[in-house]
């Protein structure tokens, strides 16, 4: 019963708050006669969102796909590199400055360079930007995970004369999976943000980023906000799925 | 499961430790002599306990036998082979001081781990783990995960895992340390029974004098800094088929306890040595 009570509180309370905020927002926009270019009301945005649902959906699919490709490529590269760095620590030491540099520079700053490299008509540049943004947290968290293997587990596999592959499959990977998935969860939001922001710097039209800018430049502010709403939803979907995966792989681990 | 066929028919020792020293050198610190010229033999089927104050090198000695560490000097043979060869041939089962279960595997899957690694078929694994779960009194917990079990229950799973391949040699590092007194005595009785059945040799580290006396054929008393063998006391209570509960009440049992205690303290009965309880 208590579980029901708390989950009801966890769902109902934010929902009520959200509705209250939306109502106040709408009230403020109407009562204070706020101009749409300053802030359109939620009703207007919802109107545009559902009125242009096909366009929002197509744009979301374009940006979402770029983010997904980036997420998958970046994650594979991140786990792969972390594996190599765990096997040869020298690699970790050598690459540490590059990783640190990549972690602090805003990756989207590379967008103009990549557009000239891969041509402004292709989505490649955006996918690469998402992949680089994803690589960093996945790499760092995976490497940390690989180092979390408890000595007693490693010794156990030694005692059983287990092969390298058996050790990796039965001990190293399960120990580090929660860490890898924490990295993926952080990376999933970054992938969407990077893919979207990269659109502001050029490339083909059709994605959420381009749609926001073009709606805004034609003074259709409510439509621009409808695309923003679409971006929020895409980000939420990415985040929820990776959060769910993280929870799933961590289910039998006491939270550290 | 049948017993390993690899057991040499010769009367080779189960364990033969000759002149073994282990010195830990840590940077910028004086080296620690954990073991110094230790000689010890364990016959096949023999039960030998190592007892001594905390830090006297009991775990270190066990780890050397298990090939988890290499001696600084001296040699170690297990069934006439090097420790490394014996490990690769899976001649021993081990239960660590910490249970060391894999938290993402069920209790049953933990027990089946060594069998799985050594390519034992599913059906055979299943029947063996069922047998072992019953043995350690966890028949209803096969599908639980280790973090749903108490510390003592986890330790019992670890013991079942060590027994999974019916090894000819069991290495146990304070396996009953986390158990309550009642479970502990039950596990001791079970261990005696298992050893009688499988005729496995056991090297058993403990802090409890009565436990060592009850279980052992011989008790090895160790002294700390540097870790040395102070004395080896032949104990062996009861006849070959009569090692049941009641010997805990025998005069011979109390004589054994006194003998070990005296050896530990150097002098007759002067209270507790550090790290050794007299339960
Ligand atoms: N890996 C290591 N590095 C450095 N010193 C070590 C290492 N392992 C053990 N020692 C030292 O060797 C000595 C013996 O340790 P060991 O763990 O064998 O003791 P023990 O008899 O098992 O003690 P306890 O009964 O508390 O488990 C200790 O002084 C310890 O500090
Ligand atoms: Mg110890």
């Amino acid at each position: 019963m208590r579980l029901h009570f708390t989950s009801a509180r966890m769902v109902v309370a934010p929902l009520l708050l959200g509705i209250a905020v939306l109502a106040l927002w709408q009230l403020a926009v109407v009562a204070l006669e706020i101009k749409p270019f300053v802030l359109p009301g939620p009703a207007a945005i919802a109107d545009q969102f559902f009125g242009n649902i096909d366009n929002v959906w197509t744009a979301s699919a374009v940006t979402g796909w770029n983010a997904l490709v980036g997420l998958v490529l970046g994650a594979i590269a991140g786990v792969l590199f972390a594996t190599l760095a765990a096997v040869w620590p020298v690699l970790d030491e050598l690459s540490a400055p590059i990783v640190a540099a990549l972690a602090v520079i805003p990756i989207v700053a590379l967008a103009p360079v990549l557009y000239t490299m891969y041509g402004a008509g292709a989505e490649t540049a955006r996918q690469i930007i998402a992949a680089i943004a994803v690589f960093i947290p996945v790499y760092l968290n995976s490497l940390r995970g690989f180092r979390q293997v408890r000595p007693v587990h490693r010794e156990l596999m030694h005692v059983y004369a287990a092969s390298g592959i058996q050790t990796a499959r039965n001990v190293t990977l399960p120990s580090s999976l929660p860490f890898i998935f924490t990295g993926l969860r952080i990376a999933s939001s970054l992938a969407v943000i990077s893919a979207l922001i990269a659109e502001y710097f050029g490339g083909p039209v059709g994605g959420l980023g381009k749609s926001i800018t073009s709606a805004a430049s034609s003074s259709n502010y409510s439509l621009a906000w409808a695309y923003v709403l679409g971006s929020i939803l895409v980000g939420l979907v990415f985040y929820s799925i990776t959060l769910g995966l993280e929870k799933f792989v961590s289910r039998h681990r006491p939270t550290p | 499961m049948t017993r390993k066929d690899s057991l040499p028919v010769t009367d080779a020792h189960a364990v033969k430790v000759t002149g073994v020293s282990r010195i830990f050198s840590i940077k910028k610190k004086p080296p620690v002599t954990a073991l110094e010229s230790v000689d010890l033999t364990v016959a096949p089927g023999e039960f030998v306990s190592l007892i001594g104050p905390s830090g006297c090198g009991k775990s270190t000695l066990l780890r050397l036998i298990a090939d988890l560490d290499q001696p600084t000097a001296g040699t170690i043979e297990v069934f006439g082979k090097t420790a490394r060869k014996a490990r690769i041939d899976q001649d021993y089962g081990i239960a660590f001081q910490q249970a060391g279960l894999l938290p993402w595997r069920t209790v049953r899957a933990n027990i089946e781990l060594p069998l799985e690694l050594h390519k034992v078929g599913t059906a055979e694994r299943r029947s063996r783990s069922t047998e072992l779960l019953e043995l350690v009194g966890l028949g209803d917990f096969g599908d639980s995960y280790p973090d749903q079990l108490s510390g003592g229950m986890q330790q019992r799973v670890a013991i079942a895992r060590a027994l999974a391949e019916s090894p000819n040699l069991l290495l146990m590092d304070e396996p009953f340390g986390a158990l309550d007194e009642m479970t502990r005595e039950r596990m001791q009785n079970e261990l005696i029974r298992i050893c009688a059945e499988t005729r496995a040799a056991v090297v058993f580290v403990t802090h409890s004098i009565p436990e060592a006396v009850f279980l052992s054929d011989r008790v090895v008393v160790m002294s700390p800094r540097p870790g040395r063998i102070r004395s080896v006391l032949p104990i062996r209570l009861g006849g070959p088929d009569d090692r049941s509960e009641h010997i805990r009440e025998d005069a011979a049992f109390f004589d054994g306890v006194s003998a070990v205690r005296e050896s530990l303290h150097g002098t007759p009965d002067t209270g507790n040595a550090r790290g050794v309880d007299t339960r």
Side-chain angles (χ1 to χ4, degrees), chain B residues 139-150:
Chain B
D140 296 334
F141 291 91
D143 297 325
S144 304
Y145 283 87
D147 58 359
Q148 300 165 333
L149 266 53
S150 73

Side-chain angles (χ1 to χ4, degrees), chain B residues 24 26 32-34 52-61 97 173-174 205 207 225:
Chain B
F24 290 106
I26 310 157
V32 177
T33 308
S54 184
C56 71
K58 305 181 293 292
S59 297
T60 304
L61 182 53
Q97 208 162 347
D173 196 344
E174 295 183 45
V205 173
H207 274 153
R225 273 166 285 269

Side-chain angles (χ1 to χ4, degrees), chain B residues 97-238:
Chain B
Q97 208 162 347
Q98 315 151 278
L101 304 176
L102 304 180
W104 48 86
R105 279 177 170 250
T106 61
V107 164
R108 182 185 288 279
N110 263 287
I111 295 175
E112 289 181 3
L113 175 70
L115 303 170
E116 207 179 302
L117 291 174
H118 302 133
K119 313 255 166 5
V120 175
T122 320
E124 196 181 344
R125 266 181 358 223
R126 177 105 197 154
S127 73
R128 180 70 181 143
S129 58
T130 306
E131 203 178 306
L132 287 161
L133 280 167
E134 288 304 325
L135 176 72
V136 296
L138 294 173
D140 296 334
F141 291 91
D143 297 325
S144 304
Y145 283 87
D147 58 359
Q148 300 165 333
L149 266 53
S150 73
M153 289 158 96
Q154 292 183 20
Q155 196 63 47
R156 281 187 273 162
V157 179
I159 292 167
R161 182 178 62 186
L163 292 170
E165 297 187 283
S166 311
N168 295 313
L169 172 64
L170 262 177
L171 305 175
M172 309 183 99
D173 196 344
E174 295 183 45
F176 305 151
L179 303 184
D180 65 276
E181 197 61 20
M182 268 173 62
T183 318
R184 189 176 179 133
E185 290 200 355
R186 224 195 78 222
M187 290 303 296
Q188 290 170 359
N189 295 340
E190 287 301 331
L191 186 58
I192 293 243
R193 193 179 58 72
I194 293 160
C195 293
E197 262 173 35
T198 63
R199 300 193 317 287
V202 184
V203 181
F204 189 92
V205 173
T206 179
H207 274 153
S208 159
I209 298 176
E211 179 169 89
V213 172
F214 178 69
L215 294 171
S216 310
D217 296 320
R218 285 187 296 152
V219 176
V220 174
V221 179
M222 296 180 66
S223 67
R225 273 166 285 269
R228 284 204 184 103
I229 293 181
R230 181 176 283 163
S231 52
V232 180
L233 306 169
I235 300 279
R236 184 62 182 180
L237 302 169

Side-chain angles (χ1 to χ4, degrees), chain A residues 18-131:
Chain A
I19 291 170
V21 167
L22 285 178
L24 266 176
W25 175 2
Q26 184 65 31
L27 200 72
V29 167
V30 175
L32 303 176
E33 289 177 16
I34 297 175
K35 295 277 176 296
F37 63 85
V38 179
L39 185 68
I45 296 172
D47 196 40
Q48 287 292 341
F49 183 81
F50 291 108
N52 293 285
I53 191 76
D54 286 347
N55 293 337
V56 176
W57 175 253
T58 330
S60 299
V62 170
T63 306
W65 175 250
N66 287 342
L68 185 66
V69 170
L71 185 61
V72 170
L73 290 181
I76 292 174
V79 174
L80 216 66
F81 255 75
T83 310
L84 295 178
V87 177
W88 295 289
V90 200
L91 217 63
D92 178 34
E93 282 161 36
L94 288 178
S95 62
I98 302 170
V99 173
L102 277 178
V104 291
I105 57 164
I107 308 295
V108 280
L110 292 172
V113 186
L114 291 172
Y115 280 129
T116 40
M117 281 170 71
Y118 292 95
E123 302 281 355
T124 322
R126 295 164 181 174
Q127 294 165 352
I128 290 176
I129 285 164

Side-chain angles (χ1 to χ4, degrees), chain B residues 13-27:
Chain B
H13 301 289
V15 180
K16 190 165 194 287
V17 175
T18 320
V20 160
S21 301
R22 179 67 173 97
I23 299 164
F24 290 106
S25 337
I26 310 157
K27 271 179 219 142

